Amino acid sequence: MVRQDAIRQLVRQRMIRTQRDLVDGLEDMGFVCTQATVSRDINEMGLRKLAEGVYILSEDLLLQRLVSDLVTDVVVAQNLVVVKTAAGSAQGVAAALEAAGEPNVLGLVAGDDTILVVAADTDQAKAFEAAINKLRLR
């Protein structure tokens, strides 16, 4: 469903705390829907709320745990993103990032404690940074 794909994108890229935030974000993307419609979508998609009050996709819960526990820093340099992790953790985090199918990533390379992420442009690199920093919430 196209609306649910838009919700997936919003939840991954923004700090969505309420159903109203989703309705407003969908309106910004050209969708007209009610809070009741969004509520049904939340149930169908299995969205969860973290303790911090932010919605997350159920399929991103493992990634969120890995990122919040192991990622120590994220830095953007033009279309490149450097993700620093705890020692020995970069390859596991990189595998989880690849499995999540992040749309802003063209590719990545992992060492011991550093992941180099390549995005198509600076805007996509910043979007990836925002998505990772959202997952770092504790």
Side-chain angles (χ1 to χ4, degrees), residues 6 31 47 66-68 71 79-80 87 103 134 137:
F31 293 90
L47 290 180
L66 283 173
V67 169
S68 69
V71 172
N79 71 315
L80 304 175
K134 178 187 173 201
L137 284 177

Side-chain angles (χ1 to χ4, degrees), residues 63-96:
L63 178 61
Q64 189 276 330
R65 287 187 194 117
L66 283 173
V67 169
S68 69
D69 289 345
L70 300 173
V71 172
T72 60
D73 197 18
V74 183
V75 179
V76 173
Q78 296 181 8
N79 71 315
L80 304 175
V81 183
V82 176
V83 179
K84 297 297 283 182
T85 70
S89 302
Q91 291 186 10
V93 173

Side-chain angles (χ1 to χ4, degrees), residues 6 10 15 18 32 37 45 55 58 64 74 82 92 118 134-135:
L10 285 169
M15 301 291 255
T18 65
V32 178
T37 301
M45 295 173 69
Y55 279 106
S58 57
Q64 189 276 330
V74 183
V82 176
V118 180
K134 178 187 173 201
L135 294 173

Side-chain angles (χ1 to χ4, degrees), residues 6-18:
I7 290 171
R8 191 169 282 105
Q9 179 182 349
L10 285 169
V11 168
R12 282 186 170 151
Q13 293 179 350
R14 296 186 190 177
M15 301 291 255
I16 302 295
R17 296 184 182 279
T18 65

Side-chain angles (χ1 to χ4, degrees), residues 92-107:
V93 173
L97 288 169
E98 283 186 326
E102 175 64 44
N104 297 313
V105 173
L106 295 177

